């Protein structure tokens, strides 16, 4: 942890791997064998567990990144966003404020037996993996349903609900998101 700056109020688990020159602000929680890359910056009240964060990535205030999520290098994840298990974000991606990723399009509180669901009830077929390709940009308050791919360099408009794949270098917006135009 060469020249890292760790707040005294941050909670960092013993199993967390921090790269060099990492900044972790007040009240951030890093746990569950999270891996944080060189030069990453984790802001106040962020909650990261069991995830991977690439070099130079900035994680905003009140962001949650769940176990198994992967965020590449030089990304910006803005405040109040939620990155759930099964999400892979490639390098150089911008995620606006309040973006929500969904990994189960048919969530339930209880299983067929009437008991509270556990990870084993939905980890198989119902866990939907989502990929955000290199240099994509997702506007504030967008919702990304599980199992979609957002193409390289694509732009998702603020407030959009993405229900299907977004082609490379395409702008989409609306509810549900529709193609507005190609960028290249």
């Amino acid at each position: 942890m060469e020249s890292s700056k760790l707040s005294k109020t941050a909670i960092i688990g013993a199993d967390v791997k921090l790269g060099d020159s990492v900044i972790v602000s007040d009240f951030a929680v890093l746990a569950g064998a999270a891996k944080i890359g060189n030069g990453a910056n984790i802001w106040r009240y962020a909650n990261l567990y069991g995830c991977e964060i690439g070099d130079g990535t900035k994680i905003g205030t009140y962001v949650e990144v769940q176990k198994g999520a992967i965020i590449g290098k030089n990304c910006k994840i803005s405040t109040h966003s939620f990155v759930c298990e099964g999400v892979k974000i490639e390098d150089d991606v911008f995620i606006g404020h309040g973006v929500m990723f969904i990994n189960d399009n048919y969530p339930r509180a209880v299983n067929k037996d009437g008991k509270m669901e556990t990870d084993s009830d939905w980890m198989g077929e119902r866990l939907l993996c989502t990929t955000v390709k290199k240099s994509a940009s997702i506007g504030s308050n967008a919702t990304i349903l599980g199992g979609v791919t957002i193409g390289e360099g694509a732009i998702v408009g603020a407030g959009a609900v993405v229900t299907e794949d977004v082609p490379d270098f395409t702008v989409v917006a609306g509810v549900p998101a529709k193609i507005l135009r190609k960028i290249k």
Side-chain angles (χ1 to χ4, degrees):
M1 290 190 309
E2 181 181 308
S3 70
S4 290
K5 295 179 184 176
L6 310 177
S7 167
K8 291 180 183 177
T9 59
I11 299 170
I12 302 173
D15 57 352
V16 171
K17 294 181 181 161
L18 292 176
D20 292 334
S21 303
V22 172
I23 298 172
V24 181
S25 296
D26 299 332
F27 307 107
V29 176
L30 285 64
K35 296 177 187 174
I36 312 300
N38 297 326
N41 194 333
I42 314 300
W43 289 97
R44 293 182 171 151
Y45 303 104
N47 183 14
L48 287 66
Y49 52 96
C51 58
E52 293 182 30
I53 307 297
D55 296 346
T57 287
K58 296 183 181 354
I59 304 292
T61 302
Y62 295 110
V63 169
E64 179 165 335
V65 184
Q66 291 187 323
K67 67 180 179 175
I70 300 170
I71 299 175
K73 296 178 182 177
N74 301 315
C75 294
K76 181 176 181 184
I77 313 299
S78 300
T79 62
H80 298 91
S81 290
F82 177 74
V83 181
C84 56
E85 185 171 6
V87 172
K88 179 180 180 187
I89 298 172
E90 295 183 355
D91 298 342
D92 308 321
V93 169
F94 173 82
I95 304 291
H97 303 279
V99 171
M100 296 292 141
F101 288 89
I102 312 283
N103 60 5
D104 183 352
N105 290 346
Y106 302 100
R108 300 284 185 257
V110 296
N111 62 27
K112 292 177 184 177
D113 298 332
K115 296 178 183 171
M116 290 297 286
E117 281 200 346
T118 65
D119 285 352
S120 63
D121 288 308
W122 68 275
M123 286 300 293
E125 297 172 9
R126 283 179 39 202
L127 175 63
L128 299 171
C129 296
T130 297
T131 301
V132 180
K133 300 274 190 165
K134 180 178 169 67
S135 301
S137 180
I138 301 177
S140 294
N141 293 314
T143 299
I144 313 302
L145 294 187
V148 301
T149 296
I150 297 174
E152 181 176 347
I155 297 175
V156 174
V161 176
V162 178
T163 61
E164 55 190 41
D165 292 350
V166 175
D168 293 348
F169 305 104
T170 301
V171 177
V172 300
V175 179
K178 300 291 182 198
I179 295 174
L180 299 181
R181 64 184 171 92
K182 292 293 274 179
I183 297 170
K184 277 187 172 180

